[in-house]
Amino acid sequence: MKKLNKEEMILINGSGLTGQLINAVRNGILSIVDIGRYFGSSIRRIVEGNLCKY
């Protein structure tokens, strides 16, 4: 393994996309889809009159 000097270490660039970032974006999108699904189901139940009576 080659030893790097200080100037070479400064020039090292890491990856822009990490696994954690990709998972966070995916979870955010899935949350938005779930919220839309819940609102859609609620609206459909209200329109159809299929509500639970307490």
Side-chain angles (χ1 to χ4, degrees):
M1 180 179 338
K2 178 184 173 187
K3 295 239 180 199
L4 300 176
N5 60 28
K6 199 172 201 174
E7 291 81 22
E8 290 173 328
M9 283 193 240
I10 292 172
L11 296 175
I12 294 175
N13 289 326
S15 172
L17 292 176
T18 63
Q20 288 179 334
L21 177 64
I22 293 170
N23 283 335
V25 171
R26 176 185 166 272
N27 290 338
I29 291 170
L30 289 178
S31 295
I32 292 170
V33 169
D34 284 340
I35 291 170
R37 186 176 299 131
Y38 296 143
F39 277 126
S41 295
S42 298
I43 292 169
R44 188 185 74 242
R45 289 179 65 198
I46 290 169
V47 169
E48 292 176 354
N50 187 13
L51 298 173
C52 297
K53 307 281 182 185
Y54 292 106

